[in-house]
Amino acid sequence: MMVEYLLAKIRWEELIKEAERERLLKTTRKQFKVLFGSNTQDEKAKQDEKSKINV
């Protein structure tokens, strides 16, 4: 009985750790998209300014 309890407890802890990793991955991906998106927008704005100056 005690062995089953310990195995269940260990499995529960593993599930919690896995869920936390998934949450961190999702958060990191969202932050990366925001950073990448803003960098892309900055580059496009710079190119637009250069094209206006060249015209």
Side-chain angles (χ1 to χ4, degrees), residues 4-6 8 29 31 38 53:
E4 292 173 354
Y5 168 77
L6 291 174
R29 285 183 184 132
Q31 291 174 350
S38 65
I53 292 172

Side-chain angles (χ1 to χ4, degrees), residues 6-18:
L6 291 174
L7 287 174
K9 183 178 178 186
I10 290 170
R11 180 65 183 140
W12 178 253
E13 290 171 353
E14 288 175 355
L15 288 172
I16 291 173
K17 288 177 185 176
E18 186 177 336

Side-chain angles (χ1 to χ4, degrees), residues 17-30:
K17 288 177 185 176
E18 186 177 336
E20 181 66 16
R21 278 190 295 259
E22 288 294 320
R23 187 188 67 80
L24 287 173
L25 279 173
K26 286 180 184 178
T27 304
T28 304
R29 285 183 184 132
K30 284 181 185 177

Side-chain angles (χ1 to χ4, degrees), residues 5 7-8 25 34 38 42 44-49 54:
Y5 168 77
L7 287 174
L25 279 173
V34 169
S38 65
D42 290 345
K44 187 171 192 265
K46 287 178 186 177
Q47 288 176 353
D48 289 345
E49 287 178 25
N54 290 336

